[in-house]
Amino acid sequence: MNGSPASAPPKLEDFRRITVKVGSSLLVDSAQGCVRRDWLAALAADIAELHAKKADVLVVSSGSIALGRKVLGLPEKDLELEDSQAAAAVGQIALARIWAEVLADRKITAGQILVTFGDTEERRRYLNARATIARLLSARAVPVINENDTVATNEIRYGDNDRLAARVATMASADLLILLSDVAGLYSAPPLENPDAILVPVVSRVTAEIEAMAGGAASRNSRGGMRTKIEAAKIATTGGTHMLIADGRVLHPVARLRDGAPCTWFLTGSNPVTARKKWIAGALEPRGALHIDAGAATAMTNGKSLLPAGVTRVEGNFARGDCVVIRNATGGEIGRGLVAYDASEAVLIAGRNSQDIAQILGAPGRTAIIHRDDMVVAGE
Ligand code: GLU
């Protein structure tokens, strides 16, 4: 969907890549410590419906700690870090299995991805994670993502899946993030204490006033309260992804949204590809340059990736994931992009056919030296 700053909320069927975030309190029956299977099966049916309409779907699912805790006989709250890590190690197995099962019942393949903070924040690891997600989606699988809580430590972890989901959604260039929650959306004041609080249907910019509405409470099973959801909204909308918060406590929560259930939309002004391209064009310090021949320059202007075969000279000492300038035969800058190889490798594969990469480098690598999604062409 193209980002439009219109105040009327968009429609679910307009989106082509949707991330659905499911919190622990929806997924896990906290008294029993088991998955609410009927609810999950209904959600899987909703996901299958989006998928059948050709949308790519990603799931960010919490629940590993809530599921593992009971099995290990650990208390319900205030777990020590080691306890959360151990609970996650046990619970994640069950979580991944149940997602694989409910999606398989809808003839959809699930792929588990466990990410750490470093995987989304460090450029080269970010590119790796993004490439894996892109490959799964191109195979029409549904990535089921959680934080790798077994190795995450307090200092370097998300801790809540709201912000993780927003980061993953922008990383995957999703155009919509749905946060299924135990509230219908953002209220003008915390609804439990304020019976007059009203649901805000559309937020077109996260202002200080919106942040003040969020309060801070989190339910027992989930880490995030409204505050982490607002943080998520900021990450998502800056990265070109629309976000909505909706009540997930009902059966078929996504289908109900399609049918007009109340929710809060957080709208972004730009589309995800443009947002990432802005990031590439503006925020990064180029670490080197690739000089390319006329054929490659034409291909690039026609929206193609840059292949090693078109590279005539490599300049600088960059690492994979760094931003480099792309120069034409006369040395003029024609674009910038995130390079898929270290400079030492780029020198070896420059001018060579992509099929020879494995033989030259001793390991298979990416076909493109700069993928078109990672590239800004001058004038774009
Ligand atoms: N990653 C945590 C888990 O799977 C959940 C974090 C959250 O509740 O947001 O248990």
Side-chain angles (χ1 to χ4, degrees):
M1 126 136 219
N2 287 322
S4 68
S7 54
K11 293 193 170 55
L12 276 200
E13 48 270 29
D14 294 338
F15 294 95
R16 51 157 196 88
R17 185 167 289 178
I18 302 175
T19 302
V20 180
K21 184 260 171 179
V22 181
S24 304
S25 60
L26 297 177
L27 200 112
V28 180
D29 177 325
S30 59
Q32 309 289 327
C34 64
V35 168
R36 294 173 60 221
R37 186 141 194 150
D38 291 348
W39 177 85
L40 188 59
L43 176 61
D46 290 359
I47 288 174
E49 200 175 300
L50 297 173
H51 201 254
K53 290 191 178 132
K54 301 283 177 275
D56 294 330
V57 183
L58 298 92
V59 169
V60 173
S61 178
S62 307
S64 68
I65 298 173
L67 284 172
R69 173 163 62 201
K70 190 88 175 173
V71 181
L72 291 178
L74 295 167
E76 279 209 18
K77 54 179 183 178
D78 301 329
L79 291 186
E80 297 294 333
L81 177 64
E82 300 78 40
D83 290 343
S84 311
Q85 291 172 322
V90 171
Q92 184 61 37
I93 298 178
L95 186 62
R97 192 188 53 220
I98 197 131
W99 270 109
E101 284 171 7
V102 293
L103 289 172
D105 287 345
R106 302 280 157 188
K107 312 241 172 322
I108 295 174
T109 304
Q112 177 188 247
I113 303 186
L114 297 178
V115 294
T116 59
F117 190 73
D119 293 327
T120 62
E121 300 315 294
E122 217 176 275
R123 237 174 12 240
R124 39 170 63 206
R125 284 159 67 184
Y126 170 98
L127 290 179
N128 268 339
R130 185 154 67 89
T132 310
I133 290 173
R135 187 65 194 96
L136 281 168
L137 294 175
S138 72
R140 298 296 288 144
V142 168
V144 178
I145 300 158
N146 195 0
E147 183 161 15
N148 194 347
D149 292 307
T150 53
V151 296
T153 56
N154 276 339
E155 305 76 50
I156 43 162
R157 71 197 295 236
Y158 279 91
D160 69 88
N161 275 5
D162 295 326
R163 290 176 310 135
L164 174 73
R167 204 67 175 100
V168 163
T170 58
M171 176 158 97
S173 300
D175 43 13
L176 176 63
L177 166 62
I178 299 177
L179 293 186
L180 293 179
S181 174
D182 52 10
V183 283
L186 175 70
Y187 283 85
S188 54
L192 287 181
E193 300 114 63
N194 302 276
D196 298 338
I198 50 164
L199 184 75
V200 180
V202 178
V203 174
S204 43
R205 207 160 63 83
V206 179
T207 57
E209 193 192 351
I210 295 292
E211 296 202 51
M213 289 177 189
S219 71
R220 187 172 47 186
N221 250 339
S222 60
R223 307 271 316 196
M226 193 47 77
R227 195 162 289 167
T228 56
K229 292 182 175 49
I230 299 294
E231 287 304 314
K234 287 199 251 174
I235 297 170
T237 54
T238 325
T241 302
H242 292 294
M243 189 184 104
L244 70 81
I245 302 173
D247 196 340
R249 289 170 300 182
V250 289
L251 285 179
H252 296 288
V254 177
R256 282 171 183 249
L257 277 171
R258 181 205 54 210
D259 298 339
C263 67
T264 300
W265 282 91
F266 294 83
L267 301 180
T268 179
S270 56
N271 73 47
V273 175
T274 321
R276 194 175 58 251
K277 293 203 169 192
K278 270 195 214 141
W279 179 69
I280 294 170
L284 303 175
E285 181 83 351
R287 295 289 159 89
L290 297 179
H291 293 256
I292 67 171
D293 62 25
T298 311
M300 250 178 67
T301 354
N302 291 331
K304 298 279 185 339
S305 296
L306 176 62
L307 303 180
V311 177
T312 53
R313 192 157 70 84
V314 175
E315 212 183 287
N317 186 21
F318 50 81
R320 185 162 76 81
D322 280 345
C323 179
V324 297
V325 173
I326 306 164
R327 298 193 185 281
N328 63 15
T330 55
E333 175 169 339
I334 53 168
R336 286 175 181 215
L338 305 182
V339 65
Y341 289 93
D342 292 340
S344 56
E345 297 168 332
V347 168
L348 297 174
I349 59 173
R352 305 288 298 269
N353 199 304
S354 297
Q355 278 131 293
D356 300 337
I357 292 175
Q359 200 206 331
I360 299 168
L361 300 181
R366 306 209 191 285
T367 313
I369 193 160
I370 301 182
H371 192 272
R372 67 186 144 84
D373 290 347
D374 297 330
M375 178 194 290
V376 194
V377 180
E380 231 180 23

